[in-house]
């Protein structure tokens, strides 16, 4: 099939850009670093280390590798209204709330307007890459379910919001030039609707109305796509009624959203019947291709923690290819998948050298079972980084693990993102990476990232409730259960107790744990409803001894054995599940209010 000329030319240009950037990866990286330093060497932060110098050697020698806590005071000052050039010579235009947290609140990342152009550049590469493998995608539409989230205005007047909310609200997205490759079934007004239920209903309605034109479906993360399927299960009858009558449900009262859907909605009883016929069936296996019959692939991220959703997606799609197109974050966008049809377990991302200056901290992974593999030791001696160990983008070695460190155009210098990557090969001079895991994260269902410390703190709070019953929590571990939609956290508890506990006590424990988890968890659980109620499973006495025996039999060292705080392997889960004596669920949603920066925080340099 022939593409139209304009789309064809744009596509060619995009592919040529990838060639040129990857062939000159070393030069591009050098130029990026020089440009960032030239612009920002006089900022308060860089000035302290570089004293006006603009050269790579000084940068590598003098500028420290940092975590969020090191730069938090500077960012906090920006949020509080200090507009002097603290970390960026270009004024910070907004703050992006990350799903990583610090002190229970989202980390906030600075951004400048031109970052939107870098993001647009990366998005514009995705369909040209895809069309190298699948032709005719310009002949149909994509049903992409995209959402915005709550934002707040900080005392500085700057908005603080998630990176995708920022992008969808930007003129780069709203005024994007028409492109046959990127025709979406969701009108922008439905994506930009602040009420997530109305947004979801309207996007699914528009997707169903145009279902015969849809060639690909997707969302950003797998969890969001499955949430949409669950929503469809609950609302299909009402959606069909709307299509049958041509009348949009009255509860859709966001004016722009309503107006945009009304433009597409006309009474179509035949279409409504055909949808209802499929949805009414007992089994929803393969529902995606039964409704959107021309779908070629599902575009969702299923690498990293999202891999847990692959079996459920396969069930609903009848095994359609799952395509992971890009790798990005609030700090900056990183790269693209040049082989989008590769299996999820084989996906590698090629970092684009013009996005930021990338460095890599070697990671030495410890051996052990899957459950223990989460621990790593990386270039640190007593927690201190050996700065001279960091390597440049083009110098990473195939077969090695690294932690990603970025220097961005918007004020992050040698910042540890926390992602652990594995080098699989090179495309021209640009390395390709498998995403391995996020440092420290043990549990994740949606965008939540719970680490061992958070989990321990939450469990410690809950176990106080047991004291008055003369009961003791002797051991615990956890598991992200995604067999339900939405998924939920499961904790396995071994209790030493005199007599059986009342259900209400353990249900309260579930609630206290949820209250103690960070604000991203509580938002997902209470506002987005993308996480279900937390569950505690009591196990028989002696279960954790068996767990230890099992881990040792799988190669863990006796001396170094620590109870895995999160279980990944099915065999280990089977062992625990076979010893469960009772289960309890949280009976209420935890409290959540939108992120507010700590107004009292003051910068304490050094
Ligand atoms: P956030 O800071 O909330 O913007 O989330 C960014 C993080 O999400 C990254 O640092 C990764 O840990 C994760 N992430 C983003 N894209 C991918 C991907 N394609 N595969 C796996 N994890 C990803």
């Amino acid at each position: 099939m022939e593409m139209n000329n304009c789309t064809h030319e744009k596509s060619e240009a995009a592919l040529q850009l990838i060639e040129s950037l990857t062939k000159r990866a070393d030069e591009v990286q050098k130029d990026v670093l020089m440009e960032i330093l030239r612009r920002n060497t006089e900022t308060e932060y860089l000035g302290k280390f570089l004293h006006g110098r603009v050269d790579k050697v000084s940068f590598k020698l003098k500028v420290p590798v940092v975590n969020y806590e090191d730069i938090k005071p500077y960012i906090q000052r920006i949020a509080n209204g200090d507009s002097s050039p603290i970390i960026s010579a270009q004024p910070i235009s907004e703050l992006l709330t990350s799903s990583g947290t610090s002190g229970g609140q989202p980390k906030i990342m600075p951004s400048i307007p031109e970052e939107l152009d870098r993001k647009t550049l990366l998005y514009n590469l995705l369909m040209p890459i895809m069309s190298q493998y699948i032709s005719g995608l310009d002949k149909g539409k994509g049903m992409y379910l995209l959402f915005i989230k709550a934002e707040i205005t900080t005392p500085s007047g700057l908005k603080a919001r998630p990176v995708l909310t920022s992008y969808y609200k930007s003129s780069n997205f709203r005024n994007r030039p028409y492109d046959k490759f990127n025709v979406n079934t969701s009108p922008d007004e439905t994506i930009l609707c602040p009420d997530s239920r109305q947004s979801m209903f309207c996007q699914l309605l528009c997707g169903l109305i145009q279902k015969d034109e849809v060639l690909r479906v997707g969302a950003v993360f797998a969890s969001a796509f499955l949430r949409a399927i669950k929503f469809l299960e609950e609302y299909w009858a009402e959606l069909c009624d709307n299509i049958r009558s041509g009348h949009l449900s009255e509860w859709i009262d966001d004016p722009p959203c309503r107006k945009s859907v009304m433009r597409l909605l006309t009474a179509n009883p035949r279409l409504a019947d055909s949808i209802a016929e499929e949805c009414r069936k007992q089994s929803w296996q393969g529902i995606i291709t039964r409704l959107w019959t021309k779908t070629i692939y599902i575009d969702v991220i299923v690498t990293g923690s999202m891999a847990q959703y692959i079996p459920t997606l396969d069930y609903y799609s009848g095994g359609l290819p799952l395509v992971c197109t890009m790798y990005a974050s609030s700090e900056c966008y990183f790269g693209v998948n040049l082989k989008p049809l590769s299996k999820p377990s084989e996906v590698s991302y090629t970092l684009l050298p013009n996005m930021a200056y990338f460095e890599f901290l070697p990671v030495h992974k410890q051996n052990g079972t899957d459950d223990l593999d989460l621990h790593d030791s990386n270039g640190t001696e007593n927690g201190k980084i050996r700065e001279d160990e960091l390597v440049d983008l083009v110098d990473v070695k195939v077969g090695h693990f690294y932690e990603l460190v970025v220097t961005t155009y918007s004020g992050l210098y040698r910042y540890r993102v926390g992602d652990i990557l594995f080098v699989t090969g090179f495309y021209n001079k640009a390395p390709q990476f498998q995403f391995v895991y996020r440092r420290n994260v043990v549990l994740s269902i949606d965008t939540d990232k719970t680490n061992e410390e958070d989990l321990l703190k939450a469990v410690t709070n809950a176990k106080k409730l047991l004291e008055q019953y003369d009961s003791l929590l002797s051991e615990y571990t956890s598991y992200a259960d995604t067999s339900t939609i939405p998924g939920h956290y499961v904790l396995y508890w071994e209790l030493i107790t005199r007599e059986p506990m009342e259900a209400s006590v353990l249900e309260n424990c579930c609630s206290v744990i949820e209250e103690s988890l960070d604000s991203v968890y509580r938002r997902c659980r209470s506002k987005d409803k993308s996480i279900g109620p937390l569950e505690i499973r009591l196990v028989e006495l002696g279960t954790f001894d068996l767990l230890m025996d099992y881990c040792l039999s799988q190669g863990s060292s006796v001396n170094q054995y620590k109870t895995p705080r999160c279980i990944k392997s099915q065999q280990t889960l089977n062992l625990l599940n076979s010893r469960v004596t009772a289960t309890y669920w949280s009976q209420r949603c935890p409290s959540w209010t939108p992120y507010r920066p700590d107004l009292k925080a003051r910068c304490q340099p050094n």
Side-chain angles (χ1 to χ4, degrees), residues 97-100 163 221 301-305 324 326-331 334 349 417 419 435 437-438 447 449:
T97 51
S98 143
S99 54
V163 60
F221 288 110
I301 291 176
V302 281
T303 42
S305 64
C324 303
M326 60 186 277
Y327 168 42
S329 78
S330 311
E331 290 85 344
F334 303 128
Y349 298 101
V417 174
D419 289 349
F435 180 92
Y437 60 88
R438 173 93 173 191
T447 52
K449 296 182 171 68

Side-chain angles (χ1 to χ4, degrees), residues 315-364:
Y315 175 83
Y316 285 120
S317 75
L320 281 178
L322 299 172
V323 169
C324 303
T325 57
M326 60 186 277
Y327 168 42
S329 78
S330 311
E331 290 85 344
C332 68
Y333 281 21
F334 303 128
V336 294
N337 176 3
L338 294 177
K339 287 197 179 144
L341 290 182
S342 46
K343 281 196 281 183
S345 57
E346 285 163 17
V347 167
S348 290
Y349 298 101
T350 306
L351 296 203
L352 293 177
N354 58 337
M355 289 288 129
Y357 178 65
F358 299 114
E359 291 175 277
F360 298 85
L361 187 58
V363 171
H364 312 292

Side-chain angles (χ1 to χ4, degrees), residues 134-422:
I134 298 174
S135 60
L137 289 172
D138 55 332
K139 305 287 184 288
K141 297 184 178 178
M143 183 183 75
Y144 281 75
L145 306 166
L146 308 173
F147 303 92
I148 58 163
K149 292 193 171 159
E151 62 182 31
I152 61 141
T153 304
T154 61
S156 58
L158 296 176
K159 295 257 168 30
R161 53 196 179 183
V163 60
L164 292 171
T165 301
S166 145
Y167 191 74
Y168 300 146
K169 287 192 165 186
S170 73
S171 62
N172 284 42
F173 177 75
R174 285 182 294 114
N175 303 332
R176 60 198 180 280
Y178 173 79
D179 182 344
K180 280 198 152 192
F181 256 159
N182 283 326
V183 185
N184 192 357
T185 55
S186 298
D188 287 358
E189 293 84 347
T190 61
I191 295 170
L192 295 170
C193 174
D195 180 321
S196 58
R197 208 164 127 253
Q198 292 191 44
S199 172
M200 178 74 90
F201 186 90
C202 292
Q203 293 196 55
L204 282 171
L205 184 58
C206 296
L208 287 168
I209 295 169
Q210 302 166 78
K211 78 183 188 59
D212 293 334
E213 296 167 80
V214 169
L215 298 183
R216 53 207 170 95
V217 299
V220 177
F221 288 110
S223 53
F225 190 77
L226 286 171
R227 213 159 62 242
I229 300 290
K230 184 79 185 164
F231 190 95
L232 184 61
E233 264 188 277
E234 280 172 35
Y235 284 87
W236 65 263
E238 185 176 339
L239 288 160
C240 287
D241 284 348
N242 282 207
I243 296 173
R244 187 171 292 106
S245 64
H247 181 84
L248 183 60
S249 296
E250 289 305 327
W251 63 272
I252 305 297
D253 59 6
D254 177 78
C257 189
R258 195 170 171 90
K259 204 166 149 199
S260 70
V261 178
M262 289 307 292
R263 276 199 293 262
L264 289 170
L265 185 65
T266 47
N268 190 340
R270 268 185 53 195
L271 178 64
D273 289 345
S274 73
I275 296 167
E277 193 184 319
E278 290 305 333
C279 294
R280 198 177 289 126
K281 288 182 183 155
Q282 187 79 40
S283 163
W284 268 46
Q285 189 163 11
I287 192 72
I288 295 167
T289 37
R290 286 202 265 132
L291 290 175
W292 293 276
T293 51
K294 295 183 189 154
T295 311
I296 304 168
Y297 64 90
I298 306 184
D299 187 341
V300 278
I301 291 176
V302 281
T303 42
S305 64
M306 292 291 148
Q308 60 197 345
Y309 294 106
I310 294 171
T312 322
L313 284 167
D314 284 345
Y315 175 83
Y316 285 120
S317 75
L320 281 178
L322 299 172
V323 169
C324 303
T325 57
M326 60 186 277
Y327 168 42
S329 78
S330 311
E331 290 85 344
C332 68
Y333 281 21
F334 303 128
V336 294
N337 176 3
L338 294 177
K339 287 197 179 144
L341 290 182
S342 46
K343 281 196 281 183
S345 57
E346 285 163 17
V347 167
S348 290
Y349 298 101
T350 306
L351 296 203
L352 293 177
N354 58 337
M355 289 288 129
Y357 178 65
F358 299 114
E359 291 175 277
F360 298 85
L361 187 58
V363 171
H364 312 292
K365 233 174 153 228
Q366 289 173 2
N367 292 327
T369 67
D370 277 356
D371 298 321
L372 298 174
D373 258 356
L374 294 163
H375 302 282
D376 55 75
S377 60
N378 48 4
T380 58
E381 230 171 67
N382 306 325
K384 241 185 121 8
I385 299 281
R386 295 242 335 258
E387 257 99 5
D388 57 349
E389 268 212 273
L390 266 72
V391 295
D392 278 348
L393 180 71
V394 294
D395 296 328
V396 296
K397 292 200 175 66
V398 174
H400 286 228
F401 292 91
Y402 297 91
E403 182 185 331
L404 179 60
V405 175
V406 293
T407 295
T408 67
Y409 283 91
S410 49
L412 299 177
Y413 306 98
R414 311 194 91 184
Y415 176 80
R416 295 175 71 178
V417 174
D419 289 349
I420 309 297
L421 308 177
F422 176 73

